[in-house]
Structure formats: C-alpha cells, structure tokens
Amino acid sequence: MIANIPSDAENVFESQQIVMYRRLKENITWHSFVIIFKEYPERGKFPLSWNGSRLGRGCEYNKLIKFSPKTLADIEIFLKKHYSVTAQDSELDSLGHQCIDAPSRKALDYLEIEMNWLFENREVIPWRLLVGAEALAGNGQRHLITEVIERPSPTGPLFTIRALEGPTNRNGQYNINAFNNGPFKHLVPAISQVYSLRAVIDQLELVRMEQVRVDSEHNEAQQVKKGQIEQRNAQEAYSLNESRKFDLLIFDLDDTLLATGHLDRFRGREFSGPQDDKYKTELSVHLQSLERLVSEELLLSLQHDFPDLALSIFTRAPRDYAEILLKARFPRVKWSSIVAFEDVIRTKPQPDGINLAMKLASIKSAKRVALVGDGKNDVLAAYTAGVHAVLLTVGWGSNWSSKGNPNRVDHFKTLNLMPDAKIAAASDLVSLVTIPTSLLPCLEAWYAYPAFSQSPESMRIDTQNHFNNLPDAGYPNWVETHSMGRYFPRSTSSAWYDFSKREIHHPTTKAILEAKEGIHYPDSWAKCLANYISGYNKEIVRKNLTLLICSIPSSSGSLRPLGKDRLVELLNAVEGQFRSCSNATVNCEVLQYAPGAISNKTLDREARFA
C-alpha cells in the first residue's frame, strides 16, 4: 500500500502505528496528508487535512480518533510545530483539490459516537438534544431515542429507547450506566443534531489540545531543567568508577554465565581435583557451542568503566571444570578469584565461598558485594553472607513457569525468597552497579531515597501464591499475596540458615521490629503504599467497583501492645495521601478475632490455614 503513494509525496511523520506522507501540491491555507496504518484492524490509507489550528473533521478524522487518540495528539503537536498557518472553518470546502478528494457534505453531516465516549464526557453532553438520535446495537440493529429525562449523577439521564427494526426486546428505559454497558455500542445523531454535538466535540478538543500544549511546554521546561542538572553533574569531579555501589561482583557459573544444563555428567563431586586428558577431551567437545548468558563484551565493559570493581566466580562445580569453561568462553576477562567446590568445606547455600572471594579480593564490607546467580542456593548463600542477592533469570527460558518444566518448582521457590534484585537481561548489570536501590522491592526503594518516586507500573511488587493441602476446604487452595518489602527474622525455622547479617542492616526489618516497640513506621511507607494503591485502583475504577482497604488486627493477647495500632496509623496516613480516590475506603474495624481465637504462633501450618 505504501508503494501506491505517488513519487511527489514525502514521509514527514512516523510512529509504531502509522506513516504520514505530505503531498507536495498544496493550496494556500490547507495542507494535505495521507495516513498509512501499519497494522490490523485499521490497516489501510486515507486522507487527512490540517488548517494550522486543527485537523479537518469528518468520518476519516473520527476513524483516526477511534484507532489511537495518542497518535492523534502526537500528529497535532508535530503539525502545529511544522505547518502552522491560519484558516477559518468556512474554508473546509477547500479540501477538494488535485491531491485529495474533498469529503462529501453527507460525510460531514454524519456523526457516529461511541457509547464509552458519551459516558466519559457525560458532564458536558446536552442530553435533551439527543431525542431523535439513533442508538446502534452491537449487531447493527437501529433504535430510536424517543425521550431523555435529565437526572443528576451518578444515575445520570434516563433514556427511553424504541426499536426501529428487528426484535423489540430492548425497548424500554436505560440509565447512563446501563446505556454505556448495555447492548448499544454507537450513537448516530440526526442531521439537525450533528452541528450542536460537533460544537461540544470541538470544545472538548480545544480543551484537550490546550492541555497537550501545557503538557508540552511543561515537558520542554523539564527537559531544560534536566539538561542543566546533567550539565552541572558532568562538571563535578566524580568519575564513573567513583559512582559504583559495589567493590566486588561474584558470579555463579552454571546457567548464570553459561547455559550448561546438558553438562551435568561433568561436574559431580567425583570429578574433584585434577582431571585426566580423557575428561578434558570429552568436555572440550562442548566448549565452542556453549551459549553465553552474559556476554564477554559486557563483562569487559564493566571492567573498563569500573576499574576498581573486582569480578569473581563462586561455583559448586569442580575447579578443572570451571577453569576449562571460563578459559574457553571468557578468555579476556580477568577474574579476581575462582572459588570452586574443592576450595571450601561447605559450598552453597552456605556463605563460605563468598567469604573466601571477599578475602581474596581484600573486600571487608559485605554491603559492597553482590552475588549474581540463578537459583535458590545462590540467594540463600548471599543472605547468610549479608551481601546483595541478585537473581539473573536469563537461563530460565521463556517457558520456565509451564507445568512441564522440571525446574518450575525450584524457580518459584527462588522467587519466593525475594532477592534484592531480579534481572531478566544481563545488560541490567550496569544499572545494578550504579543504582542497585532502584531494583529493590518498592517499599525498600522508597525508603532508600526519601525523595524517590516511581510510577505504579514500574514499582517492584512480588506476587506469590501460598498453598494449603486441606481437603474439601470449600474455597481455592491458594492465597495470592503482593509483597512490597521483606522481613528477615532474627531466627529462621531451620538452624541451617542464619540471616542475622541481613537483619542488622535491613531497613524494613528494622522498622517492623521498632513498630513492635511503639515507634511509627517511616513516612516513605505511606507515600509508597498510596502510590501502589492509586495504580491498583485504576482497574477497580474501570470495573466500576469499590476498593476497601483494611488491616489484619493485632490479637487481644499481643505481647507488644505498644505496637498493635501502628498498622492502623499507617493506613490512616495512606488514606490522607489519596483523597482523590473517591471509591477507595480505609476501614481498620472490618475484621476482628472470633471469641476464643488461638494465636497463630502456637499453630502449625495446617491449623493456620484451617
């Protein structure tokens, strides 16, 4: 279709959805364009015109609005900047020139409006003018609006509908909600009503365009300010290397740096110590075909940009195996140390190998160290060592959560540990080194930077399903939880793991423990929660539902009565942050314990679910 555009046209605007061509032949005031849609369902081409202040109206314009309002806004901003002229509405007929056929008067008199547009703009629509308009059902059946009774929100106007053809089962009265969510999909005004409604549409369009202009000017001002800040920062004496947050990155080898799932038979404990030529020859057959999950170029760039950043290896595989693979696939990378199975008494998930790598690199602060791995043992080792736990999931594959994947359960268990960072692309390692706090669970990220803010869509929320095995429970056997931060207990359920090194310095753990003693939760928590709820609330509003926010109360026998109301105070602070959410309510008295309820601390897993 693009090939059908004549040679005297030029491409002036392009987005993911469209290509716009300008015809070189143009009259004095109106400029002519052809829009090419790239994708289904509106794929095709049609004319468009611009008079310097707004686009030409008509069925094609409405089609463009239907396809992508954002694209229309981008086009109008572009046209205002590059094709600004003056013209009157009366010049609309001048569209008919050599390049594009003028829209017929019938096309200009015809107007088709989607019901959801009417609903969104219900406060400004002159409803009484719609008597005599047609309402089209989804199957194309025509209905006549015979009466409109004005009523205040939220019920809005009451429409009396009569079928013009076909079945009459939809005859009757509809309020604005039923009118919007019912069988009717489009409204077609009578010719006498078109111009009044176009005036409303034009007015809304002017308001929208003014908002686009204001937003554009604001964005430009922000860009100028951003440029000034960047220039100021560039003038400071800090180098890139000084901006790093880590002194040592320790990498797991198998399925972290290299995809080695097919090499299990080469890395058992029976291959500890020096190996013979037969072992090395058999292993070398696979070396050149090994897929790098982290490119050598990326590791080299880290060493170039951060020359004081050490890179080490900690693997449960034997030393000969590790050295052969690293030499073959990462020959130019200089490793600070390679800690293999033979080098420690206890390998992962114990932290001995991390401690050894830190000692060999002369690193004393665990807070300046990160372990990058792909599994549960890597995260547990990092937690027990007190270093940053980074989960790199490149080696999991796109179908890791499918029921046929043998590693599915292990992957879910790893995610349930909520590592400090979850990285799906190796290129994110650069962000990890410079701004690791941005990858934390959102409650911790907001705490790390008091002035920090994230859009709800970019906030890290860890979703988990907790299961029970109770037979005939009468409800789904899982409970979905959304976790915004972590708590490292002073003692775990198993003496095998000791998270005390994380608990000492971990901010959300510290805040939870302090709350038990009566200290308020940090102010950043209320801001972060309100931001999350505002994003979650958008879907609730779309479904025309109400959002209820409540807390699980403290039990009557709480050992720390000073802390039992801190969660209530936190949610009250959250409510103060989102007063604009008219359909969201905070009520911390919804739940209470039944008489004789037993403390969870005395119950096992099954009894808690029961």
Side-chain angles (χ1 to χ4, degrees):
M1 287 174 290
I2 294 178
N4 294 333
I5 297 298
S7 59
D8 63 347
E10 60 174 330
N11 179 352
V12 297
F13 182 89
E14 184 167 359
S15 71
Q16 280 188 322
Q17 297 169 326
I18 68 166
V19 181
M20 182 168 69
Y21 291 88
R22 181 170 68 94
R23 296 297 183 98
L24 299 182
K25 298 177 182 178
E26 57 192 39
N27 63 8
I28 297 175
T29 55
W30 284 90
H31 293 267
S32 303
F33 304 89
V34 173
I35 300 294
I36 302 289
F37 282 118
K38 296 180 177 180
E39 57 188 83
Y40 186 85
E42 301 291 350
R43 186 169 57 194
K45 68 176 184 178
F46 61 88
L48 191 67
S49 53
W50 170 255
N51 74 346
S53 62
R54 65 184 177 89
L55 296 170
R57 298 297 189 263
C59 58
E60 301 293 7
Y61 173 82
N62 294 329
K63 179 179 177 183
L64 183 57
I65 291 180
K66 177 181 178 182
F67 181 82
S68 175
K70 181 183 182 303
T71 298
L72 177 63
D74 292 341
I75 290 175
E76 290 193 338
I77 292 172
F78 170 81
L79 292 175
K80 272 185 174 294
K81 183 176 180 180
H82 297 283
Y83 299 99
S84 180
V85 293
T86 58
Q88 302 298 321
D89 288 352
S90 60
E91 294 175 311
L92 194 58
D93 291 330
S94 67
L95 289 176
H97 51 77
Q98 297 179 33
C99 296
I100 299 177
D101 294 335
S104 66
R105 176 56 59 186
K106 180 179 179 181
L108 295 175
D109 290 342
Y110 179 82
L111 186 63
E112 186 174 299
I113 304 173
E114 290 189 5
M115 290 304 178
N116 60 358
W117 186 92
L118 286 173
F119 184 78
E120 291 169 0
N121 298 280
R122 57 189 177 278
E123 301 298 333
V124 296
I125 298 297
W127 295 110
R128 292 186 182 276
L129 292 178
L130 296 184
V131 175
E134 292 183 9
L136 301 183
N139 61 1
Q141 185 183 2
R142 299 163 56 234
H143 301 76
L144 183 68
I145 299 176
T146 59
E147 183 182 12
V148 179
I149 301 175
E150 297 277 7
R151 296 195 304 182
S153 296
T155 56
L158 188 66
F159 301 89
T160 301
I161 307 294
R162 175 171 60 84
L164 291 175
E165 58 189 11
T168 60
N169 59 318
R170 290 169 180 159
N171 289 356
Q173 291 185 322
Y174 296 81
N175 64 24
I176 186 63
N177 287 316
F179 197 54
N180 177 53
N181 297 313
F184 310 111
K185 303 303 178 185
H186 297 87
L187 181 80
V188 180
I191 293 178
S192 60
Q193 300 166 334
V194 167
Y195 294 101
S196 297
L197 285 173
R198 282 196 187 281
V200 175
I201 294 172
D202 286 352
Q203 183 61 36
L204 291 173
E205 185 68 11
L206 289 175
V207 171
R208 189 188 67 79
M209 285 298 298
E210 177 61 19
Q211 186 61 50
V212 169
R213 184 191 66 78
V214 171
D215 291 345
S216 177
E217 291 180 354
H218 174 74
N219 290 337
E220 289 180 4
Q222 289 295 102
Q223 288 298 321
V224 171
K225 185 177 180 180
K226 180 181 178 182
Q228 293 172 344
I229 293 174
E230 290 176 350
Q231 184 177 8
R232 182 189 66 202
N233 292 341
Q235 292 171 349
E236 295 178 352
Y238 300 107
S239 67
L240 180 62
N241 184 53
E242 291 170 332
S243 71
R244 77 190 191 285
K245 305 302 180 184
F246 296 107
D247 296 324
L248 173 64
L249 292 186
I250 305 173
F251 287 91
D252 173 52
L253 175 59
D254 293 300
D255 294 325
T256 298
L257 289 179
L258 295 169
T260 59
H262 58 297
L263 298 182
D264 288 347
R265 63 189 181 90
F266 290 99
R267 54 174 177 259
R269 65 175 62 231
E270 65 271 22
F271 297 115
S272 300
Q275 297 300 301
D276 56 24
D277 292 339
K278 179 182 178 183
Y279 172 89
K280 296 177 181 179
T281 300
E282 291 180 356
L283 181 57
S284 64
V285 174
H286 303 276
L287 296 181
Q288 294 308 314
S289 61
L290 283 178
E291 178 190 359
R292 293 191 189 99
L293 301 176
V294 179
S295 71
E296 183 179 35
E297 288 70 23
L298 176 59
L299 296 176
L300 291 173
S301 69
L302 285 174
Q303 291 188 320
H304 176 271
D305 294 337
F306 306 98
D308 293 336
L309 174 66
L311 304 181
S312 293
I313 296 292
F314 176 27
T315 176
R316 295 196 297 173
R319 172 166 291 279
D320 270 8
Y321 169 90
E323 290 185 346
I324 291 171
L325 265 60
L326 291 170
K327 183 178 180 180
R329 304 305 286 150
F330 300 98
R332 295 177 292 167
V333 177
K334 182 179 179 181
W335 303 104
S336 173
S337 63
I338 300 174
V339 179
F341 177 79
E342 301 95 324
D343 299 318
V344 291
I345 297 176
R346 303 179 306 171
T347 188
K348 289 180 281 189
Q350 292 303 313
D352 300 22
I354 298 175
N355 297 332
L356 178 57
M358 291 174 58
K359 180 179 179 180
L360 294 173
S362 300
I363 306 296
K364 295 183 179 181
S365 174
K367 293 192 294 184
R368 302 282 296 182
V369 178
L371 174 66
V372 183
D374 71 303
K376 178 180 65 174
N377 289 327
D378 298 301
V379 178
L380 289 173
Y383 280 170
T384 52
V387 304
H388 211 76
V390 182
L391 179 64
L392 180 63
T393 61
V394 179
W396 287 12
S398 58
N399 66 336
W400 69 266
S401 62
S402 64
K403 292 185 178 180
N405 191 315
N407 299 314
R408 175 175 181 262
V409 174
D410 284 339
H411 290 338
F412 274 117
K413 288 181 178 180
T414 305
L415 291 173
N416 285 347
L417 290 172
M418 293 181 65
D420 296 283
K422 296 185 295 185
I423 295 177
S427 57
D428 290 335
L429 287 170
V430 177
S431 298
L432 171 74
V433 173
T434 53
I435 46 172
T437 49
S438 66
L439 303 175
L440 289 169
C442 62
L443 207 62
E444 300 176 35
W446 283 59
Y447 183 88
Y449 287 110
F452 191 57
S453 64
Q454 292 173 307
S455 66
E457 294 78 15
S458 65
M459 294 170 64
R460 176 182 162 187
I461 309 291
D462 287 38
T463 301
Q464 302 161 2
N465 289 340
H466 288 268
F467 294 87
N468 75 76
N469 297 317
L470 297 178
D472 303 322
Y475 50 82
N477 75 324
W478 53 269
V479 177
E480 184 178 279
T481 65
H482 295 194
S483 302
M484 307 175 71
R486 297 167 295 175
Y487 172 66
F488 288 96
R490 289 175 174 172
S491 63
T492 65
S493 58
S494 170
W496 185 256
Y497 304 119
D498 179 7
F499 293 163
S500 60
K501 290 185 179 180
R502 289 305 304 263
E503 179 258 322
I504 293 173
H505 302 290
H506 191 248
T508 50
T509 299
K510 181 180 178 182
I512 291 170
L513 293 175
E514 289 176 341
K516 294 179 183 293
E517 305 301 331
I519 300 175
H520 295 277
Y521 289 115
D523 292 340
S524 63
W525 284 30
K527 296 178 182 178
C528 181
L529 278 165
N531 197 53
Y532 166 63
I533 291 170
S534 67
Y536 184 85
N537 193 50
K538 291 179 181 178
E539 181 67 12
I540 302 296
V541 171
R542 189 184 70 80
K543 295 179 178 179
N544 200 26
L545 301 174
T546 299
L547 180 64
L548 175 63
I549 303 155
C550 62
S551 61
I552 297 177
S554 299
S555 60
S556 58
S558 174
L559 298 178
R560 295 185 177 88
L562 287 175
K564 67 180 182 180
D565 293 326
R566 292 296 172 258
L567 186 56
V568 176
E569 293 177 357
L570 174 63
L571 292 183
N572 287 336
V574 169
E575 186 177 28
Q577 296 279 340
F578 62 83
R579 297 188 184 279
S580 59
C581 298
S582 57
N583 70 314
T585 302
V586 173
N587 188 333
C588 292
E589 298 180 356
V590 171
L591 300 176
Q592 63 180 348
Y593 282 97
I598 302 174
S599 171
N600 269 339
K601 293 184 178 180
T602 66
L603 304 178
D604 60 21
R605 178 182 176 88
E606 288 191 4
R608 289 189 182 197
F609 271 107

